[in-house]
Amino acid sequence: MDIDWKNLGFQYMPVNCNIRYSYKNGEWGKMRLHENNDINLSIAASCLHYGQAAFEGLKAFRCKDGKVKVFRPQENAKRMNLTNNHLLMPEIPEAMFLEALENVVRENIEFVPPYGTGGALYIRPLTIGTTAQIGIAAAADYEFIMLATPVGPYYKGGIKPVRAMISDAYDRAAPLGTGHVKVAGNYAASLAPTKLAKESNCQVALFLDAKTRSYIEEFGTSNFIGVTADNHYVTPQSPSILESITNISLRELASDIGLTVEHRPIPVAELDNFVEVGACGTAVVITPVGEIVSTRKTYNYGENIGPVLQKLYDKMTGIQYGEEEDTHNWMYEITE
Ligand SMILES: Cc1ncc(COP(=O)(O)O)c(C=O)c1O
């Protein structure tokens, strides 16, 4: 195997195998290991027509001590069940989720990027409704799949701030809709607003609350963090944003290093109060946001990552790669 680890991007690369379970007659069957990248699915499967599909994303790291560890998988299992429940799909027992995880990592162990390359094995759990039906109803049959693919360091040439555009033409999620869960359709809906942002030379779209358009919600695939001059870590609370596991963890780290954590609704007008702004999620941990543009105003946060976000980024990646003590017991070791 000849992988250029340092130049690995965020593309799908086929690996040795993936893990699958089928749900039939009201129960999950036994774990199966598939070398095939394809699935055999009816053209009338409910996931294809009616979007009965939920996914997750997490990472396995090759740590400094040579061990392979996954960041907080139990949290992803919990969130997947929140989504599955919302879509009337069966829950994934935590033991089954962890069995799939251990097997998908172990069977693809040579695809975990070596320590020091900045990469990780990205793991993608997926639940889909597979029953062939034309009427709109919850499927009777499901497939739970866990696939893996190696991904490279997101920041190849150092951490560079992005520009964000406040989405005026589109909302991401309705107050009582599906924004708080990881429903596949949310991401199809985010493609057009993100395209619009890119046309304005912005890499990401920043969504406001759909009801009043006056509160900050989140970016298309990451949560919003603002840091004030007096060291407050401020992040939105809303029924229509996805609870980022990275954000939950960063809040704990922020508190550990003496920041005051505020998790509350944030009016757009408060964008003026922040000295640092970031987007956080599994893919990147923290992306600094250098500029936020709206039709009315441009907010500037500097051309480099600020000291507080840098510190949090270092602390988090330090724990993930086993360079810092895992004081919160977040890392889940895979026995090889
Ligand atoms: C809409 C949205 N917000 C936030 C996040 C970040 O969540 P996490 O930190 O769990 O990756 C993601 C990615 O999963 C996302 O899709």
Side-chain angles (χ1 to χ4, degrees), residues 55-57 76 79 172 179 182 187 218-223 242-247 280-283:
F55 74 100
E56 272 299 327
N76 293 89
R79 193 171 65 186
R172 192 188 85 90
K182 218 161 158 61
Y187 298 84
E218 65 172 324
F219 303 98
T221 57
S222 47
N223 276 183
L242 189 80
E243 272 278 18
S244 150
I245 295 158
T246 312
N247 193 2
C280 69
T282 296

Side-chain angles (χ1 to χ4, degrees), residues 19-274:
I19 304 294
R20 304 183 198 183
Y21 300 76
S22 296
Y23 185 89
K24 278 192 181 20
N25 304 319
E27 60 181 6
W28 288 108
K30 288 208 160 25
M31 179 180 86
R32 305 182 321 269
L33 209 138
H34 281 250
E35 290 177 7
N36 198 324
N37 279 273
D38 304 323
I39 47 177
N40 191 7
L41 201 59
S42 163
I43 54 171
S46 67
C47 62
L48 299 177
H49 298 252
Y50 305 128
Q52 230 193 345
F55 74 100
E56 272 299 327
L58 61 166
K59 280 179 172 174
F61 303 89
R62 176 69 71 182
C63 295
K64 196 176 175 186
D65 62 3
K67 292 179 175 160
V68 173
K69 294 181 183 172
V70 181
F71 186 70
R72 307 191 78 174
Q74 298 91 339
E75 292 300 316
N76 293 89
K78 236 190 272 170
R79 193 171 65 186
M80 172 154 257
N81 284 334
L82 204 68
T83 314
N84 285 13
N85 276 317
H86 197 87
L87 297 184
L88 301 187
M89 303 200 289
E91 287 196 1
I92 311 298
E94 187 187 271
M96 178 175 139
F97 191 95
L98 295 174
E99 176 186 56
L101 175 72
E102 290 186 24
N103 281 281
V104 83
V105 176
R106 211 178 288 131
E107 295 296 328
N108 295 297
I109 204 81
E110 68 268 37
F111 290 94
V112 181
Y115 173 71
T117 59
L121 185 70
Y122 183 74
I123 297 148
R124 167 58 60 85
L126 177 72
T127 313
I128 51 173
T130 54
T131 306
Q133 59 189 30
I134 291 299
I136 299 181
D141 311 303
Y142 295 88
E143 200 74 5
F144 173 64
I145 302 169
M146 204 178 278
L147 58 94
T149 197
V151 295
Y154 195 82
Y155 298 117
K156 282 184 202 128
I159 301 182
K160 280 197 201 74
V162 295
R163 287 180 91 219
M165 188 175 91
I166 292 184
S167 179
D168 276 331
Y170 295 91
D171 293 317
R172 192 188 85 90
L176 299 175
T178 57
H180 64 298
V181 283
K182 218 161 158 61
V183 170
N186 286 351
Y187 298 84
S190 75
L191 296 176
T194 304
K195 178 169 178 268
L196 205 62
K198 288 190 170 151
E199 283 164 4
S200 293
N201 199 24
C202 292
Q203 291 83 354
V204 290
L206 176 58
F207 294 95
L208 304 182
D209 76 292
K211 192 171 177 185
T212 71
R213 288 264 172 104
S214 55
Y215 290 93
I216 296 163
E217 293 253 295
E218 65 172 324
F219 303 98
T221 57
S222 47
N223 276 183
F224 177 98
I225 309 166
V227 179
T228 61
D230 57 350
N231 289 324
H232 287 226
Y233 177 108
V234 191
T235 191
Q237 188 167 42
S238 151
S240 47
I241 64 180
L242 189 80
E243 272 278 18
S244 150
I245 295 158
T246 312
N247 193 2
I248 297 170
S249 312
L250 286 170
R251 296 207 290 266
E252 294 199 44
L253 296 181
S255 181
D256 291 349
I257 62 170
L259 299 170
T260 305
V261 174
E262 294 182 38
H263 183 209
R264 58 164 174 83
I266 305 177
V268 177
E270 278 195 40
L271 284 176
D272 276 322
N273 298 357
F274 301 125

Side-chain angles (χ1 to χ4, degrees), residues 159 276 286 305-315:
I159 301 182
E276 298 180 38
I286 298 173
I305 184 166
V308 172
L309 292 182
Q310 178 76 61
K311 198 165 175 181
L312 288 168
Y313 177 86
D314 291 344
K315 195 122 190 106

